[in-house]
Amino acid sequence: MSAPDGNGPRSWWARAARPAPAAVPATVAARAAAGTALPLVLGLALGRIDLGVFAALGAVHATLVDRVEPARLRVPRMAAALLASALGMLVGAALQHGRVPLPAAAAALTAVALVSGALSATGPRGSAAGMLLLVSAALGGGMAAPHPWWAAAAMMPAGAATVVLLGLPARRRPHTDPRAVALAAAYDALGGLLAALGTPAGPDARRLLTARIDRVQDLLPTPRPGQPEPARLRDWRRGSLAVLAVTETAGALLWARRPVPPQVAAVPGLIARALTGDGPPPDHPVWQPDTPALRALDAALRTAVDLAAGRDAVPATAPAPPPPDPWRLRGRLLSAGSLRYGLRVALCIAAAGAATARLPLERAYWVPMTVAFVLKPDLGSVFVRAVSRIAGTLLGVLAAAGLLAVVHAPWALALAAAACVALLPYAAAAHYGLNTLVMTPLALALIQLGGRSGAAEAGPRVLDTLLAGGIVLVLGYLLWPERAPHRIEPRLAAGAEALRAYLAAVLAPRPVPVAEVWLRRVAYRALADVRREVQQGLAEPPPAGRHAAQWLPATAALERLSGAVAAYSAQLRYGGRRPEPAEAARVFAALDRLAEAAAAHRPPTGAVPGPTGPHDPARSALVRAADELDLLLR
């Protein structure tokens, strides 16, 4: 494998400041701008810019949760988030309209924060809904309410509907469907991995492939038993299963450092071209695979080629799992982890309420709103987000000052606000600080449109952000137990348990149970979560960053073990090797010891030397994996 961190040496602040590669379709930016501009223009034309500002705010919230995905997935997900946004606005506006005393209003907002945090910890959909619930409640309690007072909550979904409707395709060609595009991207990444086998670029190519396969699986809904499925969706599903089967064999070859001929590595890219209508399906690769792992790759690639050509073929994988229990969200919402995160958000919001009650702040809602944005659980390190929020606000205020110095006409301000919203999808995907830099002039332009001086609000916004960032850094990060080490270690233990289940399925009597494929996917996703938490921890200052670095060898060892198990599966299936219970027991024992070390916050201190050449196919992959784990844990 490559260097343990996969990215080479870099200081923590350089990691924190580095933007992520982001490719956002122009259609997303266009509908974000149009969805914001339309309510503002209508508000100006009808003389109700106060309503137009709240409708535009709804469009901004819709943009924050917009994605390129099929309508059957996109609309319900956005609807849930926007319903939470409207509900939060209604709660905040009701508190303001009822002239609720400040202590009682702060207590109510803290209760909303508890629900918001618990909802945010249930997953990506809950995270968006929970954040918007709290953000809107803070805005509703502080922004000047229109007449009637409840109109603010009503206008937000009206503005958001514009963004939702603009994203509904009138007539989409099959090749441009998000599922086909995502599947083609997965095959492209698979071709990149095959080309990188035996080179230092292999591990990074493997992580890119994992992310793209995860994207494909997220876009394909679970088939419901007894209900017919459209032929095109069925074909995409079979194609996703085929890329999964090839990925397993490629993972084994990555571990073994065994390259493949260029004509074989080119096959997935040709399948991707066929999926997007840019070329014909490829032919079967002509070569002579001479090891179990290469024969496994050949069999999986032939199935993928047959499916791309429309021929009847059955991928060597499993059917989709049953649909989730409808009560599952309720269970996760009331889980210990969700409630703990809810308490974390509520503590910070309560502190923000106490601070704003004692300080002469003109827009007290900016502080809890900032806390809500920074504590969104799926945006990375809280430390990095808090610092990035402060830096982004400072730069955003400078940008807003220049904008408001030259733009005064309401129509021009509306267009400037729409231009800022058009930048949001890219900024949000690239870096949290860049996202804040774009959001700040947008917010000040909307304040100016609402009849107040946006330039006069610039300085107080910096002070509010500094206050909110300080609250989050102290109460939400330094004094809270769920910092980077505490996030890494539970996920590492979960990854070890997932690998244990995967290896147990590989060792089960033949024929291979269908559960093996999905257990492999569970293991790969769990390891991707570990790697992501480690990378986020490395972006934090010592001691958190130093502690995260201590888990890099264990993370790399688990990633290598996943490839070793895939290679061992190929040896059992294509090489005639018999199961080795004693070596399997060594691996299971090592995984148990690693999980115990994670529970005790004790990173292993052993070192695993990287492979110097291809793995000998005559030697058991499981024996080599057990030897590596013993070196790590000695």
Side-chain angles (χ1 to χ4, degrees), residues 518-532:
W518 290 104
L519 290 171
R520 181 181 72 244
R521 287 300 306 141
V522 170
Y524 285 172
R525 280 207 171 194
L527 295 180
D529 289 342
V530 177
R531 172 65 65 168
R532 183 171 58 252

Side-chain angles (χ1 to χ4, degrees), residues 72-382:
R72 62 181 296 184
L73 298 178
R74 175 176 175 267
V75 172
R77 183 180 54 77
M78 294 183 71
L82 296 171
L83 177 62
S85 178
L87 179 60
M89 181 61 67
L90 186 63
V91 170
L95 293 174
Q96 181 182 172
H97 177 71
R99 301 183 184 277
V100 176
L102 188 57
L109 191 60
T110 301
V112 172
L114 177 62
V115 176
S116 167
L119 184 60
S120 294
T122 60
R125 293 189 182 186
S127 176
M131 180 195 69
L132 292 181
L133 173 68
L134 182 54
V135 166
S136 296
L139 290 173
M143 292 181 68
H147 178 75
W149 66 270
W150 47 262
M155 293 308 299
M156 291 190 68
T162 307
V163 177
V164 176
L165 293 175
L166 287 174
L168 296 179
R171 191 176 183 88
R172 176 178 279 149
R173 294 182 301 147
H175 292 156
T176 62
D177 188 283
R179 290 160 292 196
V181 174
L183 184 57
Y187 271 109
D188 265 332
L190 176 59
L193 173 59
L194 293 182
L197 291 176
T199 73
D204 286 338
R206 177 67 184 84
R207 294 179 196 120
L208 175 63
L209 175 58
T210 295
R212 291 190 177 178
I213 289 178
D214 290 347
R215 172 66 175 164
V216 173
Q217 291 187 325
D218 290 341
L219 290 179
L220 291 174
T222 302
R224 298 193 176 274
Q227 294 186 7
E229 193 171 47
R232 188 175 299 123
L233 182 58
R234 186 170 61 251
D235 290 342
W236 286 329
R237 190 180 306 283
R238 295 172 71 188
S240 72
L241 296 179
V243 79
L244 280 175
V246 183
T247 297
E248 176 188 13
T249 61
L253 293 168
L254 174 65
W255 173 83
R257 292 183 64 87
R258 191 166 294 280
V260 297
Q263 69 270 22
V264 176
V267 171
L270 296 176
I271 295 177
R273 305 288 84 74
L275 287 171
T276 55
D278 296 329
D283 296 324
H284 291 148
V286 179
W287 63 313
Q288 298 296 325
D290 56 358
T291 70
L294 291 175
R295 287 193 288 270
L297 174 69
D298 181 64
L301 269 181
R302 286 177 176 274
T303 300
V305 168
D306 287 339
L307 289 173
R311 294 187 288 269
D312 190 24
V314 179
T317 125
D325 185 344
W327 291 98
R328 184 180 178 189
L329 176 60
R330 177 183 173 186
R332 286 188 298 177
L333 185 62
L334 299 178
S335 68
S338 295
L339 293 177
R340 187 166 58 248
Y341 202 86
L343 289 173
R344 182 183 191 180
V345 177
L347 174 64
C348 292
I349 291 295
T356 54
R358 289 169 172 77
L359 296 174
L361 302 178
E362 297 181 8
R363 299 287 178 268
Y365 63 83
W366 197 277
V367 179
M369 182 190 70
T370 300
V371 170
F373 274 118
V374 173
L375 282 179
K376 190 174 185 290
D378 54 353
L379 293 180
S381 163
V382 170

Side-chain angles (χ1 to χ4, degrees), residues 9-36:
R10 190 181 297 117
S11 60
W12 68 267
W13 57 265
R15 294 178 185 275
R18 183 186 186 190
V24 178
T27 53
V28 175
R31 65 182 177 236
T36 305

Side-chain angles (χ1 to χ4, degrees), residues 472-569:
V472 170
L473 285 175
V474 174
L475 297 180
Y477 176 73
L478 291 177
L479 301 182
W480 196 261
E482 290 185 347
R483 284 181 284 162
H486 303 275
R487 296 193 311 267
I488 292 169
E489 290 152 355
R491 284 169 174 76
L492 191 136
E497 181 59 31
L499 280 174
R500 164 186 273 277
Y502 173 31
L503 177 57
V506 168
L507 294 169
R510 305 286 108 176
V512 178
V514 294
E516 176 184 333
V517 175
W518 290 104
L519 290 171
R520 181 181 72 244
R521 287 300 306 141
V522 170
Y524 285 172
R525 280 207 171 194
L527 295 180
D529 289 342
V530 177
R531 172 65 65 168
R532 183 171 58 252
E533 291 295 347
V534 169
Q535 297 290 9
Q536 291 174 1
L538 292 173
E540 296 184 6
R546 192 163 50 241
H547 189 85
Q550 291 174 336
W551 283 108
L552 278 172
T555 303
L558 288 180
E559 290 175 338
R560 285 188 52 76
L561 177 60
S562 68
V565 175
Y568 188 62
S569 176

